[in-house]
Amino acid sequence: KVLSPPHLLFVLFCCVRVVLLLLPFAPLHAQTQASMNAQAHVDFQRADADLNKTYQSVLEKLPTVERKQKLREAQRAWVVSRDAEAAHAAKEADGGSMAPTLRYATMTHLTQERIKELKALLDHGTESEPKSAASGVTPSSAPESTSFR
């Protein structure tokens, strides 16, 4: 059976309305590799900014110059280790366009884990010693961007 023009118009109107109602709930994801790389970089920059704030908070709460120096050294070693692990992850793409996404996603994940570790130091009165390595990867590259004083 063929719908009459008024019924067809009503069905079309209903379909458009459903799409417009659901549109705000549709996740907006990067659609090209370049945009995924850019988003991964933005995600890392946010995590890195959060890490720097958390690191500074821990540093301010340490009671002695020696403890502060130990944290600085541990953090520098951690950054080198994180960057080495991220470079290793990027090699999985074998120089392909996905390498930056793998690199930044790894850096973001490890940075978020480091933030948790540093926040635990804050929560537990900064009594425990800070960890320095992001993983078992041997550091082999210079730090990416995290600056520590």
Side-chain angles (χ1 to χ4, degrees):
K1 188 174 180 182
V2 177
L3 294 175
S4 64
H7 287 110
L8 188 58
L9 190 58
F10 177 75
V11 169
L12 181 63
F13 174 75
C14 289
C15 290
V16 168
R17 189 161 184 194
V18 167
V19 168
L20 290 176
L21 286 172
L22 294 176
L23 192 58
F25 300 105
L28 297 175
H29 295 291
Q31 296 297 314
T32 66
Q33 189 59 56
S35 60
M36 287 187 279
N37 292 345
Q39 184 60 51
H41 186 247
V42 167
D43 293 344
F44 168 68
Q45 287 176 322
R46 286 186 187 133
D48 192 50
D50 191 18
L51 174 65
N52 282 317
K53 286 192 310 193
T54 305
Y55 169 80
Q56 290 300 325
S57 295
V58 173
L59 200 59
E60 289 170 9
K61 296 206 182 238
L62 290 173
T64 66
V65 173
E66 293 80 22
R67 295 285 309 276
K68 290 178 184 195
Q69 187 57 35
K70 268 187 163 179
L71 178 61
R72 284 185 191 100
E73 291 169 4
Q75 191 67 12
R76 286 183 188 117
W78 177 85
V79 169
V80 170
S81 179
R82 177 203 61 195
D83 293 350
E85 188 165 335
H88 179 73
K91 285 182 183 177
E92 294 295 319
D94 199 26
S97 62
M98 201 172 133
T101 294
L102 293 174
R103 179 173 174 260
Y104 286 120
T106 300
M107 291 174 74
T108 300
H109 171 73
L110 294 173
T111 299
Q112 290 167 339
E113 292 300 312
R114 181 62 173 170
I115 291 166
K116 289 177 190 173
E117 291 171 4
L118 292 174
K119 284 184 177 180
L121 285 175
L122 281 174
D123 294 342
H124 297 93
T126 63
E127 281 114 24
S128 58
E129 292 298 318
K131 296 177 186 175
S132 62
S135 73
V137 174
T138 305
S140 63
S141 63
E144 161 67 20
S145 68
T146 310
S147 59
F148 299 102
R149 296 179 192 114

